[in-house]
Amino acid sequence: MAWEEIATDRTGNAAPLLDLTFDSGTLLTLRGEVRACAIQSGFPEDRAGDVVLAIHELAANAIVHDGGAGRLRIWKLTRALQCQVDDGDLMRSREAETGRGGVGGIRPSSASSPASVNPLPSEKGHGLWMARQLADQVRTLSGLHGTSVLIAFDLSR
Amino acid sequence: MTRVPDAGFPVEIVAGVPVVTTCEEIDVTNAARLRAVLLEAAARSHGTLVIDMSRTQFCDTSGIHALVSAHKRAQAEHGEVLLVINTATVRRIFAITRLDQVIPHFESLEQALEAAW
């Protein structure tokens, strides 16, 4: 399925199934929410596990390499589950632009310090690599203000 | 705050072999701690080490890195790492990263301990 179709589909049905901000202290909760979302959308256990793993890896990337926090949104479209992970830099620049804080859901806990995550010297590319193995489509959007990764899982499989 | 529960990574000597038991969730919040425990256990036992992941429901690539570090350390000491894996999610990430072709793995602790001899 082309991304153009997904984009059009999304504008017609824009409300996300899930919209939350995350940091190292809320990764476990994020996984639980994503799994529930995937099961609710009709994925069997093993495919739901793939959705959780792929999104977790992107979220962990955002935490370890791009600002300590991020935002996840999941949309259920006609033929795919589409997920977008925005990194912390992107989140902060948008907040600065709009003057608003984070959206509903879990707020990044300012109490969790960078030291609470002890990242291995793993390469930034590994998370994206894992997403590419698991998802049906992957796209990254990098701009001056940060990075978004979009991945889609076909519902028909 | 819902952190990954800090059950730690207990190490027990069973039939002369160190067995490290991993907790339910392994990710970036505890993978470095796991790596430290594994490297220390491998150093003490001259390389051979069993890692019991039968309780682990989730493991990400940072967990995989920790296991690879232990594997390399064990090899350097002319020993080996033996894994116990019996959950679908852990099997899945092992298959994708091909770690299942690199590190010996077993369905039960008993089988892994037998192989350690």
Side-chain angles (χ1 to χ4, degrees):
Chain A
M1 180 197 263
W3 278 104
E4 294 73 31
E5 293 177 43
I6 291 175
T8 308
D9 195 354
R10 192 208 289 188
T11 54
N13 179 22
L17 214 52
L18 188 66
D19 186 348
L20 53 81
T21 52
F22 59 83
D23 64 7
S24 64
T26 52
L27 267 180
L28 182 60
T29 304
L30 174 145
R31 294 199 291 270
E33 296 275 350
V34 172
R35 187 182 166 277
C37 209
I39 298 284
Q40 184 190 337
S41 301
F43 286 110
E45 272 305 331
D46 55 352
R47 194 70 176 133
D50 286 357
V51 176
V52 171
L53 182 54
I55 292 175
H56 163 85
E57 290 287 343
L58 295 176
N61 242 22
I63 288 166
V64 173
H65 298 286
D66 294 312
R71 180 185 184 187
L72 166 67
R73 278 169 290 173
I74 298 180
W75 291 266
K76 185 178 179 185
L77 309 179
T78 5
R79 281 167 288 174
L81 200 68
Q82 187 179 4
C83 318
Q84 179 172 331
V85 176
D86 301 327
D87 67 21
D89 297 329
L90 186 65
M91 245 171 48
R92 271 191 290 277
S93 66
R94 282 208 176 133
E95 286 168 17
E97 280 169 32
T98 61
R100 278 183 290 133
V103 295
I106 300 156
R107 288 184 168 277
S109 54
S110 52
S112 78
S113 63
S116 63
V117 173
N118 293 312
L120 296 171
S122 58
E123 292 168 32
K124 182 175 175 176
H126 290 170
L128 203 55
W129 179 87
M130 183 59 68
R132 288 191 201 282
Q133 307 309 307
L134 296 166
D136 296 305
Q137 295 201 53
V138 179
R139 191 178 183 190
T140 59
L141 306 167
S142 287
L144 285 173
H145 299 292
T147 305
S148 291
V149 182
L150 293 98
I151 61 177
F153 297 85
D154 294 340
L155 287 166
S156 55
R157 283 177 47 167
Chain B
M1 182 140 100
T2 51
R3 288 194 161 282
V4 170
D6 190 354
F9 299 101
V11 184
E12 210 188 324
I13 309 292
V14 181
V17 179
V19 177
V20 179
T21 302
T22 58
C23 54
E24 276 192 23
E25 313 266 330
I26 303 170
D27 69 8
V28 288
T29 62
N30 63 359
R33 199 153 55 245
L34 172 61
R35 182 174 180 271
V37 169
L38 293 177
L39 292 181
E40 201 202 328
R44 284 216 227 125
S45 71
H46 308 292
T48 295
L49 178 61
V50 170
I51 305 174
D52 185 351
M53 302 185 73
S54 51
R55 266 173 237 173
T56 301
Q57 298 294 325
F58 179 83
C59 178
D60 71 358
T61 52
S62 69
I64 297 293
H65 290 313
L67 296 170
V68 170
S69 294
H71 169 72
K72 286 180 178 169
R73 178 61 172 271
Q75 283 191 319
E77 308 255 359
H78 307 291
E80 59 178 348
V81 167
L82 306 163
L83 301 173
V84 181
I85 305 173
N86 54 24
T87 56
T89 45
V90 177
R91 277 201 207 104
R92 176 69 167 145
I93 190 173
F94 270 64
I96 294 170
T97 56
R98 313 268 168 117
L99 202 61
D100 58 350
Q101 292 165 32
V102 173
I103 302 182
H105 52 99
F106 306 85
E107 297 274 316
S108 73
L109 182 58
E110 290 68 32
Q111 288 169 25
L113 287 170
E114 268 171 21
W117 282 90

